[in-house]
């Protein structure tokens, strides 16, 4: 009837006002002790949230609070890794060699013809910044976060079991779902009917092969097209980076004024061309992501409605798969490109590989890890600031302010409104509101775990965001939304499987980031095999190949020759030097194959070690705490004793009284329950409460 427009809204009323002066009501109590910002660093009263909003909403806040608490140790370790990186940033031997102006490392141009030769020492600041995140502690942090993800999921299962027992949801079974009203409304004139095997009621039936399969095929084909749109957007950002970097390289580095050399603003941009390009490209990518998310959200719901799914759980699962898959591709596509593809297939001077007529992107002198870190930080933090905080905090306040300004009602008129009229002015509590909250946290979990090797500060930003997020959501449910209809649920549903899948992807991702994107393996191979004294002395020269500039094609030779005549330029690769034989010139050197073998060996070892450790931890940590398991068994035992004694008395024709129930079976002089007498009474009360539950009322 809501769908057909007979009613405009249907909702349970809030119990009083959240600013009701000295009057105490459940809504005001929740606001004062939960949603108020002064409670930001306090634990949540989830039991009271459950009494007011129901188990489904309370379980979300219990999960979010537990997740936020688990972020504390990850934040501490991440900060320690970051501080360690700061400490070695200037003392690293490789960084000192790269920043030394006396080392005559003249680098090959970054683009054909227009870009000049340049000095490796110009990338000093970038190389130092890269060492903050690209060091030995990165491997430790990647292993730690993989174990942390497993511990988080395992401990949540234990916490969830405790909550289920406490809220009497241990034996909760979802009843057979009725068809969605939208489903029946859409098929009210459908001719094909079928008897439901569970309910025995005739319902409209859609044949799978003739009706459902073509729609599903078309729906998921459109999803693949939408994912391709996100990939195309990333290619567009790549084209922007290539062209912008080439354009910035043409800026004058210095100008001469009164016989002195002055560095201009353009010169500063020239010196930091790579950083400027990376930051602006990441901001553009963030803007594209936000726009695409709006489009994806609309199309995902449209496609799911088109599929005409029978039950609400089927509808929720379908929309979850669509939105999570599309947003995952949208957010992580550009990050995956930088992490695993950028700079891997660029070729060499004189024979660069091209796409659409342009050279592929190269990693800067400090490596691609610093760019991955910048991209990850901007997208993650920008998403939290714009989408989570601005949209959820600022926009509702602005809308309420506009409503108050436009309203011409007097104070007496406002006070004269009935409670249901006041609640009607609030925003409706959509059935998918919790879905978006879970989706937001699942994506954040992906940022934390999949790319933790590149950004150890991610847990800190996630912790700050979640502390704010809990109060924002609590305030939203308490003050800005109509009271949602209470629903029962025993777990967080499909989201546990989503988080588990992300934690498995993270193991593979971090292994390849350390092996391919960072310079951990090349440094390790150099110190173990090629270094004369076991240090990184000479490492920079070790990683540079030489190119004879006479081998440049005439059209590709740099037009800018401010460094004078350059006979040999260097580029970052492991190749043999110039040879008169074209078949032998610039081939991959034996060092390249040594390092490649070490990279692959590291991936295999890392993945197997972490998988074994996480699997062992999952096996050792029981899903249900031992104390709780014993309590459940004891409750079952005492309940059985009560039933047996009651049936025995009934068989003898005796009357059953509350005193008989409290004796819980056995003789009065039997002391086997005496150590747990108070626990047994509580169990009996739980048992009788189950048989005679108090009805929940909504005023």
């Amino acid at each position: 009837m809501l769908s057909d427009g007979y009613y405009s809204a249907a909702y349970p009323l809030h119990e009083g006002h959240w600013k009701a002066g000295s009057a105490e009501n459940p809504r005001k109590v929740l606001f004062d002790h939960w949603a108020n910002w002064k409670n930001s660093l306090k634990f949540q009263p989830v039991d009271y949230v459950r009494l007011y909003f129901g188990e489904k909403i309370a379980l979300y806040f219990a999960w979010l609070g537990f997740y936020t608490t688990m972020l504390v140790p990850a934040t501490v370790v991440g900060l320690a890794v970051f501080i360690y990186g700061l400490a070695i940033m200037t003392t690293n031997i490789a960084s000192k060699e790269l920043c030394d102006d006396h080392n005559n490392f003249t680098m090959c141009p970054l683009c054909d013809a227009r870009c000049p030769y340049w000095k490796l020492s110009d990338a000093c600041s970038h190389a130092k910044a890269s060492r903050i995140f690209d060091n030995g502690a990165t491997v430790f942090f990647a292993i730690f976060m993989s174990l942390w993800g497993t511990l988080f999921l395992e401990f949540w299962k234990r916490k969830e079991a405790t909550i289920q027992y406490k809220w009497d949801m241990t034996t909760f079974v979802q009843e057979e779902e009725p068809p969605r009203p939208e489903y029946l409304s859409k098929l009210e004139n459908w001719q094909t009917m079928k008897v439901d095997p569970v309910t025995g009621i005739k319902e409209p039936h859609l044949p799978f092969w003739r009706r459902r399969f073509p729609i599903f095929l078309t729906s998921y084909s459109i999803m693949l097209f939408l994912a391709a749109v996100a990939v195309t957007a990333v290619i567009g950002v790549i084209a922007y980076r290539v062209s912008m970097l080439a354009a910035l390289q043409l800026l004058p580095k210095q100008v001469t004024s009164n016989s002195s050399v002055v560095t201009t603003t353009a010169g500063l941009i020239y010196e930091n061309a790579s950083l400027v390009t990376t930051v602006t490209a990441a901001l553009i990518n963030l803007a594209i992501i936000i726009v695409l998310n709006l489009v994806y959200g609309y199309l995902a719901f449209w496609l799911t409605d088109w599929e005409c799914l029978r039950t609400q759980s089927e509808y929720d699962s379908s929309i979850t798969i669509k939105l999570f898959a599309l947003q995952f591709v949208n957010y992580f596509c550009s990050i995956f490109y930088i992490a695993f593809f950028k700079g891997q297939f660029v070729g060499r001077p004189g024979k660069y590989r091209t796409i659409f007529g342009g050279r592929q992107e190269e990693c800067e002198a400090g490596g691609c890890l610093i760019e991955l870190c910048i991209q990850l930080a901007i997208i993650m933090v920008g998403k939290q600031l714009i989408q989570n905080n601005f949209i959820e905090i600022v926009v509702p306040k602005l809308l309420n302010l506009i409503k108050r300004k436009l309203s011409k009602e007097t104070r007496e008129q406002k006070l004269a409104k009935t409670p249901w009229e006041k609640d009607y002015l609030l925003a409706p509590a959509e059935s998918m509101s919790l879905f978006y909250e879970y989706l937001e946290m699942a994506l954040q979990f992906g940022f934390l775990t999949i790319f933790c090797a590149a950004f150890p500060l991610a847990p800190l930003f996630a912790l700050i965001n979640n502390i704010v997020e809990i109060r924002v959501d609590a305030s939203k449910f308490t003050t800005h939304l109509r009271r949602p209809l209470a629903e029962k649920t025993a777990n967080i549903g499909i989201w546990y499987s989503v988080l588990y899948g992300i934690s498995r992807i993270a193991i593979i991702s971090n292994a390849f980031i350390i092996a391919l994107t960072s310079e951990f393996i090349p440094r390790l191979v150099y110190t173990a095999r090629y270094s004369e004294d076991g240090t990184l002395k000479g490492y920079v020269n070790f990683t540079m190949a030489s190119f004879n500039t006479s081998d440049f094609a005439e059209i590709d030779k740099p037009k800018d020759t401010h460094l004078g005549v350059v006979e040999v330029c260097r580029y970052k690769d492991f190749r043999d030097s110039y040879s008169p034989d074209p078949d032998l010139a610039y081939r991959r050197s034996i060092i390249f194959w040594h390092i490649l073998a070490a990279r692959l060996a590291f991936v295999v070892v890392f993945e197997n070690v972490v998988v074994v450790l996480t699997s062992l931890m999952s096996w050792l940590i029981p899903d249900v705490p031992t104390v709780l398991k014993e309590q459940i068994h004891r409750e079952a035992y005492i309940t059985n004793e009560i039933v047996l004694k009651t049936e025995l008395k009934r068989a003898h024709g005796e009357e059953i009284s509350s005193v008989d129930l409290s004796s819980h079976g056995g003789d009065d002089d039997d002391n086997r329950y005496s150590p747990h007498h108070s626990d047994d009474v509580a169990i009996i009360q739980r048992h009788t409460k189950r048989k005679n539950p108090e009805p929940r009322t909504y005023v």
Side-chain angles (χ1 to χ4, degrees), residues 3 11 16 61 123 128 135 142 172 186 207 238 307 317 345 414 426 442 445 447 475 505 519 558 573:
S3 301
Y11 48 89
F61 281 102
K128 286 183 177 180
N135 53 68
F172 173 76
K186 186 177 291 188
I238 294 171
E307 291 172 2
S317 297
F345 312 102
K414 292 180 180 179
L426 299 176
F445 186 76
F447 283 118
S475 177
I505 294 173
E519 293 192 10
D573 205 343

Side-chain angles (χ1 to χ4, degrees), residues 86 98 357-358 379-380 394 437 523 525 534 572 581 649 698:
L86 288 175
L98 191 147
I379 292 179
M380 178 181 176
V394 180
E437 304 298 340
R523 288 198 298 265
V525 171
K572 199 173 181 64
D581 187 351
K649 284 184 173 291
Y698 296 95

Side-chain angles (χ1 to χ4, degrees), residues 38 52 94 108 205 247 277 292 324 361 381 385 417 431 437 584 604 607 666:
K38 67 181 181 180
Y52 193 82
C108 296
H205 173 66
T277 303
L292 285 179
F324 179 76
E361 285 190 287
V381 178
L385 290 177
K417 285 182 179 177
S431 60
E437 304 298 340
L584 300 178
V604 173
E607 287 183 3

Side-chain angles (χ1 to χ4, degrees), residues 188-206:
E188 61 181 348
N189 297 321
W190 191 257
Q191 300 299 322
T192 306
M193 306 293 286
K194 185 178 181 180
V195 176
D196 184 85
V198 177
T199 62
I201 300 175
K202 275 191 175 183
E203 296 178 4
H205 173 66
L206 295 176

Side-chain angles (χ1 to χ4, degrees), residues 15 47 108 220 251 291 375 385 391 431-432 477 479 506 536 567 600 615 651:
E15 299 183 20
D47 292 328
C108 296
Y220 284 94
L251 293 174
V291 173
Q375 183 88 359
L385 290 177
I391 294 178
S431 60
M432 298 297 293
F477 277 100
T479 64
L536 290 176
E567 296 181 355
L600 297 178
S615 301

